[in-house]
Structures are given as structure tokens and as C-alpha cells.
């Protein structure tokens, strides 16, 4: 494992965890569009130097450029709006569990659109993720109901 890549992954995970708690604690009364706008601007500023050192060898097609614009503006913008609203409604801890669903849906979409194989161990892993999300989002009342008490 490349230590640089591992450090970048850990830094990204830290930023993701920190942002949810920070938004819940300090940004409740801030205009959400301004908050999202600044998040995107700072993300662009941080990634720009890396991008400049990794330019493609040929100019991307129009479809590639439109895809990047769509993913950057529409998908990321809408997901940030949902992320901030979810933090307001259910809190940072429960909102963070949304990220645990990403690999599960990645496996589902990979199977549907790319004909990737889903093994028994992958299914077990998905079940474990779902159980983890259940426990992370449950409170004592929900667990008592499940136990039948």
C-alpha cells in the first residue's frame, strides 16, 4: 500500500467526519447555498494544483467535458444540498451513515450495468454494512422494540 495514498484517504475521511459535526454545531443559521458554494470553491482550489500536474495527453471529447460539468455542478451541488438538509433534520452522526451505503449501491450498479459478478462474500459484506447502519442509527427505544421488550 502506498503510504501517500493511504494518508490522502485518511485525510479525506477526517474532513468528511469533521464537516458533518462542524456544520451541525456552527452553521445552522448560515445560508445553506453560501455554505455549499464555499465548500465547492475551496474544494476546487485544493484540487486545482493536483489537476494541473496531471493533465490528459489529449483534449477530452465534448461528452467527457459535459459529463464532468454535470457531475460537478448538478450531482455534487444537489448532493451537498441534501447533505446539509439531512444534517439539519437528523444530525451529523446519522447523516454520516449515508456514506456506508455507497459501496452497496456501487456493487448493485456494477452488477446491473457492467455485469460484474457478486460473490457470496460480497453479499455477506453488504449485509454487515446494513446491520452496521441499523445499529448506528438505532437508539435504545428501537433496540427494545426489536428485542420484544
Amino acid at each position: 500500500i502506498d503510504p501517500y495514498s493511504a494518508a490522502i484517504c485518511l485525510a479525506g475521511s477526517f474532513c468528511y467526519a469533521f464537516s458533518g459535526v462542524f456544520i451541525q454545531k456552527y452553521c445552522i443559521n448560515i445560508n445553506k447555498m453560501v455554505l455549499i458554494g464555499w465548500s465547492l470553491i475551496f474544494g476546487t482550489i485544493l484540487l486545482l494544483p493536483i489537476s494541473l500536474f496531471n493533465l490528459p495527453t489529449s483534449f477530452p471529447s465534448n461528452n467527457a467535458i459535459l459529463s464532468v460539468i454535470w457531475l460537478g455542478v448538478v450531482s455534487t451541488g444537489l448532493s451537498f444540498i441534501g447533505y446539509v438538509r439531512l444534517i439539519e433534520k437528523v444530525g451529523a452522526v446519522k447523516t454520516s451513515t449515508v456514506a456506508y451505503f455507497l459501496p452497496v449501491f456501487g456493487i448493485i450498479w456494477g452488477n446491473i450495468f457492467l455485469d460484474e459478478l457478486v460473490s457470496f462474500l460480497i453479499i455477506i459484506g453488504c449485509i454487515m454494512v446494513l446491520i452496521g447502519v441499523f445499529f448506528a442509527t438505532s437508539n435504545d427505544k428501537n433496540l427494545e422494540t426489536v428485542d420484544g421488550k
Side-chain angles (χ1 to χ4, degrees):
I1 296 176
D2 177 33
Y4 177 73
S5 300
I8 295 296
C9 287
L10 287 173
S13 299
F14 171 78
C15 290
Y16 181 77
F18 177 79
S19 70
V21 175
F22 185 84
I23 290 169
Q24 182 177 349
K25 187 165 181 138
Y26 297 109
C27 300
I28 293 300
N29 297 325
I30 294 175
N31 182 341
K32 300 312 175 231
M33 298 308 264
V34 172
L35 180 68
I36 292 165
W38 280 112
S39 296
L40 294 174
I41 288 169
F42 281 120
T44 302
I45 291 169
L46 286 173
L47 291 174
L48 191 60
I50 297 168
S51 301
L52 292 176
F53 287 109
N54 294 295
L55 292 173
T57 55
S58 62
F59 195 76
S61 68
N62 287 338
N63 278 345
I65 292 170
L66 289 175
S67 296
V68 168
I69 291 170
W70 176 266
L71 288 172
V73 175
V74 177
S75 295
T76 304
L78 290 176
S79 65
F80 265 119
I81 291 170
Y83 178 70
V84 171
R85 288 199 177 151
L86 200 55
I87 288 173
E88 289 176 345
K89 300 259 188 232
V90 300
V93 173
K94 287 185 179 179
T95 299
S96 70
T97 60
V98 170
Y100 302 136
F101 288 112
L102 295 176
V104 174
F105 280 101
I107 290 166
I108 292 169
W109 301 140
N111 179 262
I112 291 171
F113 296 113
L114 302 174
D115 293 324
E116 293 179 350
L117 297 177
V118 177
S119 69
F120 178 72
L121 289 177
I122 290 175
I123 293 171
I124 295 298
C126 290
I127 291 170
M128 291 177 72
V129 166
L130 296 175
I131 290 170
V133 169
F134 171 75
F135 283 124
T137 58
S138 296
N139 56 27
D140 291 335
K141 276 186 189 174
N142 290 346
L143 293 177
E144 288 174 6
T145 304
V146 171
D147 291 339
K149 296 178 183 176

